[in-house]
Amino acid sequence: MIISAIKFSTIYISSISKFGIHKISSCVGNNFVNAYKLKDTSFRHVYGKPSFTLLNMGFSDDNPSSTKSISQGKKVNNMVAHDTSKDGKFVRKDSAFRNIIGKESKFQAEADRYHLYVSYACPWAHRCLIVLALKGLENIIPVTVVHPTFQHTKPEIDGHTGWVFGNPEGKPITNSDGRGGPFPASFSDTFPDPISNSFSIREIYERAGDTLGKYTVPLLWDKKLNTIVNNESSEIIRMFNSEFNSFATRNKDLDLYPDDTKKKESIDSVNDWVYDTINNGVYKCGFATSQNAYNEAIKELTSSFDKVESILKKQRYLAGNFLSEADVRLFVTLLRFDEVYVTYFKTNTRTVRESPEILNYVREIYQMDGVAETCNMHHIKMHYFTSHTSLNRFSIIPEGKDFIALLKQPHDREILSSV
């Protein structure tokens, strides 16, 4: 049930005190939302959309985790992949699907059983693409790449914006607020969903009975059981690393998480601080809503960036003189750092191009067999600069300095293996 904003906004917004309406502010998708509650009925305004939706609020005032549309009878829980704490800190939500492919699991390693949904732009999904490439598994685990620009996934029901599939016959699109662009509805490397012809990633989650509403990529789908296997990138890359070696066409002996106690401890230790202060740290800077939260995040990020530079002066890779998942996990953030995060997330205390050890390290990984093909800076920049309308209202995409060209230059990281 859609009610005209022009007709009702003056009555309800300007009459909060008179009628005792309780205001609830939250974020749905990437749109700021104000909900005005009177008894059991609420009006919700999604900025950038010229409408109000009549809702029965399914969340408490302190935890706006779900909404229910009277007109559709549909419950939509936790419609964003992160929360913001009371002190303005970015808080990422946990992934919901955590099944494991293995010999003792109902999910067995089989050729062409699984399908991977990704965005070239998403660093978490990019981890999976890199491991697929390093192991040469592209032919037995097909991949579908979504459109880089967030769109409304069910505009007739709620304000959620997220990943949608390319539509080769679609009309040009704008950002979710109707600004920017126009952008193509599809690219040569984005296709419709080949499994169920879904419009969005959200629809695939709903097919699997998801109730949490974290509609993220990567998403590993089981075509045999018609369900989601896993949507946690750190677990997907370990499955790709160890469970499909009999199908690998590259680097069959490469083990990114070796069965060696000391090496595992080293990898786990690096993963912990790199994730918190760098991988997730850039987001804590970019989506901080208080100066103190930003100050804390940028201080941690800068310190860890310097720590990485120091480590890479002494050894070839992060966890030692062996390539590991820790390197894959850091690489995807470093690839995006100069072109996106420095400007967009305000991480401008350091850059990769001005950090010689880190730059050389990124070059080496970029030049490994199959990795460059997974690095799509066009998708990366388009996603970030066109999808988060609260950060870039008109979706202007900066030109940049062609960071990829820097990565094609020679490196000399191999000399550290003998140190």
Side-chain angles (χ1 to χ4, degrees), residues 237-338:
I237 63 174
R238 288 189 181 177
M239 290 186 276
F240 289 173
N241 173 63
S242 62
E243 301 303 321
F244 293 88
N245 282 329
S246 61
F247 303 102
T249 60
R250 290 191 196 104
N251 304 311
K252 286 189 176 184
D253 297 327
L254 173 65
D255 192 346
L256 297 170
Y257 193 66
D259 191 17
D260 176 287
T261 301
K262 289 185 177 180
K263 287 184 177 180
K264 279 187 175 180
E265 288 177 352
S266 179
I267 294 168
D268 290 341
S269 175
V270 168
N271 284 344
D272 284 345
W273 61 265
V274 166
Y275 170 79
D276 184 47
T277 62
I278 300 179
N279 298 144
N280 202 42
V282 295
Y283 286 86
K284 291 195 286 186
C285 290
F287 288 103
T289 58
S290 74
Q291 188 65 49
N292 286 340
Y294 169 78
N295 290 345
E296 180 179 326
I298 193 64
K299 182 178 179 181
E300 291 176 346
L301 173 63
T302 304
S303 176
S304 290
F305 207 93
D306 291 344
K307 183 176 181 179
V308 169
E309 180 77 358
S310 178
I311 289 171
L312 294 177
K313 285 181 180 179
K314 304 169 186 174
Q315 60 194 44
R316 189 168 182 177
Y317 302 109
L318 272 186
N321 284 322
F322 59 94
L323 182 71
S324 75
E325 67 172 37
D327 301 295
V328 173
R329 290 165 55 124
L330 177 60
F331 172 83
V332 295
T333 299
L334 297 177
L335 180 72
R336 291 155 174 78
F337 203 88
D338 286 23

Side-chain angles (χ1 to χ4, degrees), residues 34-59:
N34 285 333
Y36 302 91
K37 185 173 182 181
L38 178 60
K39 295 183 179 179
D40 293 327
T41 303
S42 299
F43 290 89
R44 186 185 64 176
H45 178 232
V46 183
Y47 287 106
K49 294 185 67 182
S51 66
F52 277 81
T53 305
L54 184 64
L55 298 170
N56 181 17
M57 303 303 286
F59 54 75

Side-chain angles (χ1 to χ4, degrees), residues 340-386:
V340 176
Y341 301 147
V342 167
T343 300
Y344 204 51
F345 286 171
K346 300 176 284 290
T347 62
N348 58 352
T349 57
R350 299 289 184 273
T351 65
V352 171
R353 66 173 60 240
E354 294 175 341
S355 306
E357 302 300 332
I358 291 177
L359 176 58
N360 232 8
Y361 165 81
V362 175
R363 281 174 176 153
E364 180 182 8
I365 296 175
Y366 178 83
Q367 293 172 26
M368 292 178 178
D369 286 348
V371 174
E373 289 75 12
T374 72
C375 302
N376 190 316
M377 193 60 75
H378 173 255
H379 275 244
I380 290 170
K381 291 172 67 173
M382 185 170 185
H383 165 65
Y384 282 99
F385 289 106
T386 68

